[in-house]
């Protein structure tokens, strides 16, 4: 008898929207892979679709009062690179590490009321960045130091941390 009174109904989770915010023209031209023609925005968007392979909220015809949906957005990302600027006799390096900033919003489907909003930023550790910096791939510059596959690994780590934070908060 007490089990029925204290037992909460588990909500069904649906997918709301998946969005990747487009980057500026300068950053896109510095980081896109000109050799393979891959577009990082499209690659990350398709990888997000495979990570969050759950039913769409728009396809839910009769939601329960506890059903929730999650919106996921990649607010910012950079693939990382190394450039050297020369000004006369001086030269200085410009270094940026791969980074992904991802946010989510968990909300009730019926009311649209937000239950929780979570923001996660993941950067590649310095040790891994520096180990990649001193490879033939980076020194010769035939390919970018970090491609779409590297960014997918970083995105998977960010999504895992995002879901852990969301579960902990709910």
């Amino acid at each position: 008898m007490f089990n029925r009174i204290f037992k909460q109904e588990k909500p069904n989770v649906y997918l709301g929207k998946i969005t990747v915010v487009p980057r500026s023209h300068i950053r896109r031209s510095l980081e896109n892979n000109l050799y393979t023609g891959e577009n990082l925005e499209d690659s990350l968007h398709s990888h997000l679709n495979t990570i969050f392979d759950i039913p769409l909220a728009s396809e839910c015809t009769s939601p329960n009062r506890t059903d929730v949906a999650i919106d996921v957005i990649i607010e910012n990302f950079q693939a990382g690179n190394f450039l050297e600027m020369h000004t006369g006799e001086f030269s200085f390096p410009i270094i940026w590490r791969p980074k992904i900033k991802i946010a989510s919003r968990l909300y009730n489907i019926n009311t649209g009321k937000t239950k929780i909003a979570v923001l996660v930023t993941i950067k590649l550790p310095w040790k891994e960045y520096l180990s990649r910096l001193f490879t033939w791939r980076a020194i010769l510059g035939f390919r970018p130091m970090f491609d779409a596959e590297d960014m997918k690994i970083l995105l998977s780590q960010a999504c895992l941390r995002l879901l852990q934070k969301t579960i902990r908060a709910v």
Side-chain angles (χ1 to χ4, degrees):
M1 178 173 156
F2 287 109
N3 275 347
R4 277 189 266 158
I5 294 172
F6 294 113
K7 186 178 179 184
Q8 285 185 327
E9 182 181 341
K10 292 186 179 182
N12 296 322
V13 180
Y14 295 96
L15 181 62
K17 297 179 202 165
I18 289 182
T19 310
V20 178
V21 175
R23 299 181 297 165
S24 67
H25 180 68
I26 293 170
R27 183 169 287 174
R28 192 177 319 129
S29 63
L30 286 174
E31 293 180 346
N32 272 354
N33 191 347
L34 301 175
Y35 302 104
T36 61
E38 67 186 350
N39 187 349
L40 286 176
E41 283 101 352
D42 295 340
S43 177
L44 292 178
H45 191 275
S46 65
H47 191 63
L48 265 181
N49 281 328
T50 59
I51 291 173
F52 291 96
D53 190 22
I54 54 177
L56 296 174
S58 59
E59 295 175 357
C60 180
T61 56
S62 58
N64 297 334
R65 63 179 180 79
T66 59
D67 287 353
V68 293
I70 187 168
D71 290 338
V72 181
I73 181 170
I74 296 179
E75 291 184 357
N76 187 7
F77 70 94
Q78 60 190 30
N81 211 341
F82 171 82
L83 296 175
E84 191 173 349
M85 299 296 290
H86 299 281
T87 56
E89 295 180 14
F90 300 104
S91 68
F92 54 94
I94 298 176
I95 297 173
W96 65 96
R97 294 184 295 169
K99 176 181 83 169
I100 291 185
K101 186 177 183 181
I102 186 170
S104 73
R105 178 178 81 107
L106 189 70
Y107 62 95
N108 188 305
I109 291 180
N110 293 325
T111 63
K113 184 179 176 186
T114 301
K115 288 186 143 193
I116 186 169
V118 178
L119 179 67
V120 172
T121 302
I122 298 277
K123 290 183 181 179
L124 189 73
W126 278 108
K127 182 180 178 181
E128 192 172 338
Y129 176 79
L130 291 174
S131 69
R132 189 72 72 87
L133 182 64
F134 298 111
T135 60
W136 287 112
R137 178 179 180 173
I139 292 170
L140 297 177
F142 290 133
R143 292 182 53 207
M145 282 176 44
F146 302 96
D147 57 3
E149 292 303 314
D150 299 318
M151 293 303 293
K152 286 178 184 178
I153 293 169
L154 207 59
L155 178 62
S156 298
Q157 293 171 354
C159 288
L160 179 63
R161 190 172 296 167
L162 182 87
L163 291 174
Q164 288 171 342
K165 278 186 165 182
T166 304
I167 290 169
R168 232 182 288 136
V170 174

